[in-house]
């Protein structure tokens, strides 16, 4: 039974989509994730949230659901406008550059693309008509050319964030929206036209949309007026998601979203990693230091999303070691010659690991429990192999568990080097794609060359290859069964 912590109810709830399974058809989950504001490279805090969303979508599919997943790109906002004006270029130029960077980074981190990616500037008519709907129902008022949402008219305002409306103080995002308001808690739906800002015509005056209206308009356009899951980082609970609920439910009179899921922050030395604090690393910063994308993904995925993730380089090294351990184990499973037969004990052990893995994910995506299930099995299987108790017939069950694991965590393919090479021109930083990145197939190729060199009694070349492999962290063992290799 899949359960999620729903920020709206403040409880763990069993998850079922609004469109349930029927007549042999799987249930369909409609999900919206708040994507990035494309004014700069995303930092690994942002990617913590995007990796959580990726784990969520993979888990929903593992659980047999069909998925309609929409993610927005905020391509007009104060920060983009400022950056474009400073550089003397259009906002499109800035947005386009960082959107491209986002997807290059996402590919490196094995993030599946949401089925539909929607840009704010391509949905202005939808936002305008949603604002008009709100205006007809009396939820808006104009002031100095801007249009505001009157939250006093929406009694449920603040439920998601458990706000005590009397004590609420305007935060940074609110201040960014502040013009002349009847009530300081009201927020801008449409911002008056200003010099040096992009402008769109609307029946209520030329201007540009506020930030919150884009997600209400785009999510409802593609997912319907009520849908299953809406996610983002915990900083979006208030005001962004709070305002989305107010706008959407005031317009439609229907519940907007069933499940609200929020990822906790990635922090550095106790503080949220953020651009404004200047304590951030982009993915490229870490790649330039020689860290592998798979290790970064593993680190971001390994801490359950509702716990803060304290980023340290020590943690990143450990993540890299964990990935190597799993890859080495998979290689051992695939290359070692085991005696014939099959052991019931190991089949049962693998089945238990599968159950524990699934139970971890089912429990609000507890990735730590899911990983423990895999590593415990790896330890037990290694022990059985060392004792000669692991049989050829045990391989498929253990291999199947690894595949199940990788369908969610996506770190086993030894393809960091290839991915980096493929995206080299897009990364704009020098990434040391060095020996440390020898892939499985490259190792196999070098070993084949070494075999040939030895057969030809060219021992100098054979030693040279051994050294090349050693530089790449590959240990070669010549055994009676042939050559075996592993990573340091
Ligand atoms: P933004 O581009 O600022 O709208 O952020 C994109 C996503 O990253 C949002 O879902 C944010 O909530 C999330 N986010 C921002 N900073 C962090 C952080 N330090 N840790 C985790 N998620 C974050
Ligand atoms: Zn949003």
């Amino acid at each position: 039974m899949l359960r999620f912590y729903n920020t709206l109810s403040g409880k763990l709830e069993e998850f079922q989509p609004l469109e349930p399974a029927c007549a042999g058809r799987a249930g369909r989950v409609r999900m919206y994730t708040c994507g990035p504001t494309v004014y700069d490279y995303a930092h690994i805090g942002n990617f913590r949230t995007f990796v959580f969303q990726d784990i969520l979508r993979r888990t929903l599919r593992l659980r047999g659901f069909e998925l309609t997943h929409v993610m927005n790109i905020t391509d007009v906002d104060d920060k983009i406008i400022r950056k474009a004006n400073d550089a003397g270029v259009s906002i499109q130029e800035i947005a386009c550059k960082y959107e491209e960077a986002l997807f290059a980074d996402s590919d490196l981190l094995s993030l599946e693309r949401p089925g539909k990616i929607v840009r704010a500037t391509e949905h202005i008519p939808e936002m305008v008509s949603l604002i008009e709907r709100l205006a007809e129902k009396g939820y808006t008022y104009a002031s100095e050319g801007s249009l505001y949402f009157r939250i006093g008219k929406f009694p449920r305002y603040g439920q998601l964030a458990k706000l005590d409306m009397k004590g609420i103080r305007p935060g940074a995002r609110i201040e960014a929206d502040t013009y002349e308001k009847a009530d300081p808690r009201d927020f801008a739906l449409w911002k008056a036209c200003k010099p040096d800002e992009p402008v769109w015509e609307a029946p209520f005056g030329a201007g540009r949309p506020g930030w919150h209206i884009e997600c209400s308009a785009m999510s409802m356009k593609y997912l319907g007026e009520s849908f299953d899951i809406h996610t983002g980082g915990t900083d979006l609970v208030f005001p962004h998601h709070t305002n989305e609920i107010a706008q959407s439910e005031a317009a439609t009179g229907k519940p907007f979203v069933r499940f609200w899921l929020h990822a906790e922050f990635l922090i550095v030395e106790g503080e949220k990693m953020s651009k404004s604090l200047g304590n951030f690393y982009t993915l490229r910063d870490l790649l330039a230091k020689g860290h592998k994308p798979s290790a970064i993904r593993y680190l971001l995925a390994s801490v359950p999303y509702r716990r803060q993730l304290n980023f340290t380089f020590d943690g990143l090294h450990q993540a890299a070691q964990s990935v190597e351990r799993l890859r080495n184990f998979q290689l051992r499973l695939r290359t070692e010659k085991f005696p014939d037969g099959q052991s019931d004990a190991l089949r049962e052990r693998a089945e238990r690991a599968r159950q524990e893995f699934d139970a971890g994910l089912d429990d609000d995506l507890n990735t730590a429990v899911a990983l423990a299930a895999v590593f415990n099995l790896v330890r037990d299987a290694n022990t059985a192999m060392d004792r000669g108790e692991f049989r050829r017939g045990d391989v498929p069950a253990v291999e199947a568990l690894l595949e199940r694991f990788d369908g969610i965590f996506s770190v086993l393919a030894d393809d960091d080097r290839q991915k980096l090479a493929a995206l080299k021109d897009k990364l704009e930083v020098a990434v040391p794609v060095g020996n440390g990145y020898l892939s499985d197939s490259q190792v196999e190729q070098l070993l084949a060359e070494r075999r040939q060199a030895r057969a030809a009694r060219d021992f100098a070349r054979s030693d040279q290859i051994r050294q090349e492999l050693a530089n790449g962290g590959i240990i070669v063992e010549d055994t009676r069964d042939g050559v075996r290799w592993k990573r340091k």
Side-chain angles (χ1 to χ4, degrees), residues 277-417:
L277 293 172
N279 62 348
F280 66 93
Y281 292 106
T282 64
L283 181 67
R284 290 141 202 253
D285 292 337
L286 297 184
L287 299 177
K289 288 176 187 289
H291 299 285
K292 292 185 186 181
S294 56
I296 299 166
R297 176 177 168 100
Y298 182 95
L299 176 68
L300 298 180
S302 61
V303 177
Y305 77 96
R306 283 204 306 123
R307 270 189 235 152
Q308 286 194 338
L309 193 164
N310 187 21
F311 176 79
T312 62
F313 282 98
D314 213 30
L316 187 50
H317 284 301
Q318 281 172 26
Q321 279 170 1
S322 299
V323 172
E324 283 308 306
R325 230 180 114 210
L326 292 172
R327 288 181 182 174
N328 283 335
F329 174 73
Q330 190 177 49
L331 198 72
R332 184 173 189 190
L333 200 61
R334 287 178 178 172
T335 54
E336 199 160 306
K337 292 197 176 67
F338 303 109
D340 284 344
Q342 194 194 359
S343 89
D344 286 345
L346 265 152
R347 203 189 46 237
E348 279 161 25
R349 182 66 196 81
E351 173 54 20
R352 181 151 60 84
R354 191 194 64 76
Q355 283 171 12
E356 287 168 3
F357 180 78
D358 284 13
L361 291 176
D362 278 356
D363 183 15
D364 198 23
L365 307 179
N366 193 330
T367 47
V369 168
L371 284 174
V374 174
F375 277 101
N376 288 340
L377 176 69
V378 168
R379 185 200 54 220
D380 292 351
N382 266 325
T383 307
M385 288 173 184
D386 293 344
R387 290 190 185 143
E389 290 165 5
F390 196 96
R391 305 298 169 89
R392 194 180 307 171
D394 299 329
V395 172
V398 178
E399 180 85 50
L401 192 268
L402 286 184
E403 269 169 33
R404 197 171 186 85
F405 154 81
D406 210 43
I408 303 290
F409 286 86
S410 193
V411 292
L412 283 184
D414 193 1
D415 59 0
D416 292 288
R417 187 186 166 109

Side-chain angles (χ1 to χ4, degrees), residues 6-169:
N6 186 352
T7 310
L8 190 58
S9 64
K11 289 196 206 106
L12 269 181
E13 289 180 45
E14 182 185 342
F15 176 76
Q16 283 299 339
L18 289 163
E19 193 183 314
C22 174
R25 250 194 8 235
R28 173 167 291 278
V29 178
R30 284 171 289 150
M31 168 160 103
Y32 185 87
T33 53
C34 285
T37 306
V38 279
Y39 75 105
D40 205 343
Y41 299 108
H43 58 65
I44 56 163
N46 301 129
F47 281 115
R48 197 259 160 130
T49 293
F50 300 145
V51 167
F52 142 66
Q53 290 163 353
D54 190 61
I55 302 272
L56 172 60
R57 49 171 288 144
R58 288 167 184 262
T59 301
L60 288 166
R61 283 213 318 273
L62 181 72
R63 280 286 167 246
F65 295 116
E66 302 276 335
L67 183 65
T68 307
H69 179 190
V70 177
M71 180 178 91
N72 71 305
I73 301 271
T74 302
D75 59 352
V76 51
D77 104 316
D78 295 346
K79 289 176 292 226
I80 301 176
I81 295 170
R82 204 177 312 130
K83 194 151 185 171
N85 287 345
D86 288 350
V89 298
S90 67
I91 60 164
Q92 286 83 354
E93 208 166 309
I94 297 292
C96 187
K97 170 177 169 163
Y98 292 109
E99 184 183 316
E100 217 171 73
L102 173 88
F103 288 118
D105 289 357
S106 300
D107 288 349
L108 285 171
L109 288 176
S110 252
L111 298 177
E112 292 180 345
R113 298 263 167 119
K116 191 132 195 92
I117 291 160
V118 292
R119 300 187 188 97
T121 55
E122 291 167 5
H123 293 80
I124 305 288
E126 287 83 350
M127 297 184 217
V128 168
S129 65
L130 183 57
I131 294 172
E132 284 192 295
R133 251 170 113 179
L134 289 169
E136 275 161 28
K137 293 189 168 188
Y139 284 98
T140 66
Y141 64 91
S143 172
E144 303 196 351
S146 293
L147 213 64
Y148 293 95
F149 185 91
R150 194 186 294 282
I151 70 164
K153 203 171 152 33
F154 187 74
R156 292 195 305 283
Y157 187 83
Q159 236 175 21
L160 182 76
K162 318 280 177 293
L163 292 181
D164 171 3
M165 291 309 294
K166 288 177 232 104
I168 178 177
R169 296 267 169 279

